[in-house]
Amino acid sequence: MIHVEHLSKAFSDSKRGTRLAVDDVSFNVHAGEVFGLLGPNGAGKTTTLRMLATLLKPSSGTASLNGFEITREPEKVREQIGFLSGDMGLYGRLTPLEILDFFGKLNGMDAARRASRIQGLVTMLDMQSFTGTRTDKLSTGMKQKTAIARTMLHEPAVLILDEPTSGLDVPTARTIETAIVDAKKAGKCVLYSTHVMEEAEYLCDRIGVISGGKMKMIGTMEELRAATGKQRLREIFLDLLGLED
Amino acid sequence: MRLSIVNAIYRKEMLDLVRDRRTLISMVAVPVLVIPLLLNVSTRLMSRIQEKSEEEAKSMAVAVRMTTPALREALEKAQIQIVEKDDLKDAVLTKTAAAGVEEIAGTPVEVRIYADNSNPTSSAAAARVRVALDDFKDEKVRESLRGSGIPDSVLTPFTLKRVNIAGRGRWRGWRGEACWVTCCC
Ligand SMILES: Nc1ncnc2c1ncn2[C@@H]1O[C@H](COP(=O)(O)OP(=O)(O)O)[C@@H](O)[C@H]1O
Ligand SMILES: [Mg+2]
């Protein structure tokens, strides 16, 4: 489903010169799998996800989603994905219902499908109490639920979620985690980034630990344990980063 | 792009716009409030300038160079101060006279009025001169016709008088506009 090969991205600015934000990263994510990109701040998670969502051009390397290459067929790639960016990208003066309906139309969904799909997401994400409130008056958690619903609305084959639970309280984060598990059960391919260990441990089939733009290790929890000789993900993570707990 | 998508984007943008107070205010309030306000202020300013120049024109002399005493008398009858000058144009341009009047011999006699139209006082003075000389010309024509036995009621069917009431009514118009603006918002 997602196939990433030697992907790199260099940024150059006058102060820091040219730096590799993503450095020769390769991994695969299959249908019905949740892959977690785990890394500290500035590791290159967002940059990687933005390249896969065709919002950034890679400096080198290639990637394909559902068989479509990100630089050659960006439009096709965009049809395959639901992308949740860190800034959520909601319209403050519209209500969640209006936003969902608008994105449904943009994705060519007919009225009946929009209505039933929106109804389903609102129930699943427990959004009933605020669907008619302007988004700029909602809490962070409510906004994030709206953004997740928008990402999943058109039932894309691939979900790319950038820190979907960051800054949320436990019940809200749990609702979102449940939505991710449901998407996986429905056969979706989920790639998401986080720096929350417990969440990655609980949710991911496989984890890729990224730091300084480099993929340090990829594997299931068992594989990571075997490779590092550590038990908990926190210990494994610090070990891979070369830090002591 | 498909028409349904264009339509969806259009509707979303309109909804967004209608709920955006700040943009709405700048789109509606500026034309409805600020433009009439500017118009009103500029109209009042213009009429103030005009009034002032008419006052000034009354107190300033008009430079003349003419030989027919009747013409001079006509100006004096209209309470226009006159002063003899050789170079009329220079007098007007250097503002030593508000306007210039020159009589050029011939049949008929030509009377030239010199004014500096970039100076409102000069224009106002020239207008006063023109009215005085027009009245004088009308009177002359009337006199000759009267001699041919045409009755006065035909020669003067009505008289005309302009009255400026700006001083009294100035605020009435403004309040009317302000009220209209309130209704619209
Ligand atoms: N547009 C950009 N221009 C320059 N540098 C950037 C840009 N975006 C990200 N970076 C840099 O790339 C590195 C990785 O950033 P990012 O991918 O956002 O990290 P993460 O999401 O893992 O916290 C950081 O050092 C960041 O400063
Ligand atoms: Mg990030």
Side-chain angles (χ1 to χ4, degrees):
Chain A
M1 271 283 191
I2 301 179
H3 190 67
V4 182
E5 258 180 80
H6 306 294
L7 204 60
S8 295
K9 178 70 189 180
F11 287 116
S12 42
D13 64 58
S14 50
K15 276 195 195 126
R16 300 192 290 181
T18 302
R19 299 175 69 255
L20 275 173
V22 175
D23 186 0
D24 194 23
V25 163
S26 303
F27 61 94
N28 295 306
V29 190
H30 315 292
E33 183 185 36
V34 179
F35 186 97
L37 213 49
L38 183 69
N41 291 327
K45 305 183 292 293
T46 299
T47 306
T48 304
L49 300 189
R50 283 173 63 81
M51 282 192 284
L52 297 181
T54 73
L55 300 175
L56 268 181
K57 239 188 158 76
S59 304
S60 64
T62 93
S64 63
L65 283 87
N66 220 4
F68 301 103
E69 210 279 328
I70 53 169
T71 48
R72 278 199 306 272
E73 298 158 293
E75 253 123 65
K76 287 279 180 200
V77 170
R78 271 175 237 145
E79 282 172 17
Q80 313 304 313
I81 61 172
F83 178 58
L84 176 82
S85 66
D87 59 14
M88 296 193 259
L90 300 173
Y91 302 107
R93 285 183 286 272
L94 267 56
T95 69
L97 269 192
E98 289 163 349
I99 290 173
L100 293 177
D101 198 57
F102 172 63
F103 278 98
K105 283 178 187 164
L106 284 194
N107 283 295
M109 297 165 75
D110 63 40
R113 184 162 164 240
R114 284 202 306 275
S116 80
R117 191 69 192 131
I118 291 172
Q119 177 63 51
L121 285 166
V122 164
T123 310
M124 180 175 77
L125 291 164
D126 195 18
M127 294 169 62
Q128 294 91 336
S129 63
F130 61 86
T131 49
T133 309
R134 273 170 64 148
T135 310
D136 53 12
K137 297 203 166 74
L138 299 179
S139 70
T140 310
M142 291 166 174
K143 283 181 189 159
Q144 189 71 323
K145 283 180 176 181
T146 307
I148 297 259
R150 193 212 64 205
T151 307
M152 296 180 163
L153 183 68
H154 57 298
E155 297 177 281
V158 178
L159 287 174
I160 299 178
L161 313 172
D162 193 7
E163 307 213 18
T165 57
S166 110
L168 302 184
D169 61 21
V170 175
T172 310
R174 225 195 106 64
T175 310
I176 289 171
E177 286 162 11
T178 309
I180 293 175
V181 171
D182 285 356
K184 166 192 154 162
K185 283 182 190 154
K188 308 291 178 198
C189 164
V190 185
L191 167 61
Y192 95 107
S193 74
T194 185
H195 57 253
V196 184
M197 305 294 149
E198 298 78 24
E199 190 183 281
E201 201 164 350
Y202 156 78
L203 212 57
C204 300
D205 297 306
R206 282 187 307 139
I207 294 168
V209 177
I210 185 170
S211 173
K214 286 195 167 67
M215 194 66 96
K216 298 290 180 185
M217 189 174 279
I218 296 174
T220 61
M221 273 306 290
E222 276 64 45
E223 287 165 350
L224 296 180
R225 281 188 188 118
T228 58
K230 309 272 180 184
Q231 266 307 300
R232 301 190 49 225
L233 183 56
R234 181 188 161 85
E235 297 162 346
I236 296 170
F237 184 68
L238 290 171
D239 185 72
L240 289 172
L241 263 55
L243 300 167
E244 286 296 320
D245 202 0
Chain B
M1 214 191 297
R2 264 175 300 152
L3 203 65
S4 61
I5 291 182
V6 175
N7 190 25
I9 294 173
Y10 173 77
R11 278 158 173 269
K12 179 236 139 200
E13 286 298 324
M14 289 315 284
L15 196 62
D16 200 41
L17 184 74
V18 166
R19 289 182 188 168
D20 182 1
R21 284 252 177 88
R22 228 178 288 170
T23 309
L24 267 192
I25 286 171
S26 58
M27 273 174 61
V28 176
V30 167
V32 164
L33 243 153
V34 178
I35 293 176
L37 189 96
L38 285 179
L39 276 177
N40 192 285
V41 168
S42 66
T43 313
R44 284 167 60 194
L45 204 72
M46 292 294 288
S47 84
R48 187 88 53 88
I49 289 172
Q50 200 185 337
E51 265 172 44
K52 215 179 126 210
S53 23
E54 276 168 14
E55 282 306 311
E56 258 176 28
K58 275 183 201 164
S59 59
M60 250 177 113
V62 168
V64 299
R65 208 169 65 208
M66 38 197 187
T67 47
T68 311
L71 282 173
R72 191 185 296 261
E73 275 162 29
L75 294 181
E76 280 167 349
K77 204 177 129 199
Q79 278 160 10
I80 294 170
Q81 301 171 43
I82 52 180
V83 56
E84 295 287 343
K85 290 274 179 191
D86 284 334
D87 192 341
L88 300 175
K89 290 178 193 168
D90 181 67
V92 174
L93 288 174
T94 55
K95 295 189 176 137
T96 48
V101 187
E102 183 179 21
E103 181 186 344
I104 295 161
T107 354
V109 167
E110 185 186 326
V111 179
R112 271 191 203 160
I113 304 172
Y114 299 105
D116 172 5
N117 281 340
S118 65
N119 172 7
T121 307
S122 180
S123 300
R128 289 188 76 213
V129 169
R130 209 200 139 110
V131 169
L133 294 179
D134 270 345
D135 284 351
F136 174 65
K137 191 174 77 183
D138 288 352
E139 191 48 45
K140 277 284 191 202
V141 171
R142 230 177 270 129
E143 253 172 39
S144 347
L145 292 175
R146 216 177 273 133
S148 329
I150 297 176
D152 247 7
S153 60
V154 175
L155 296 174
T156 314
F158 59 86
T159 61
L160 202 59
K161 194 167 166 76
R162 249 179 84 191
V163 183
N164 183 5
I165 55 162
R168 263 184 296 148
R170 185 174 289 159
W171 284 95
R172 200 179 301 151
W174 165 241
R175 222 178 295 132
E177 275 160 35
C179 171
W180 176 68
V181 165
T182 319
C183 296
C184 285
C185 293

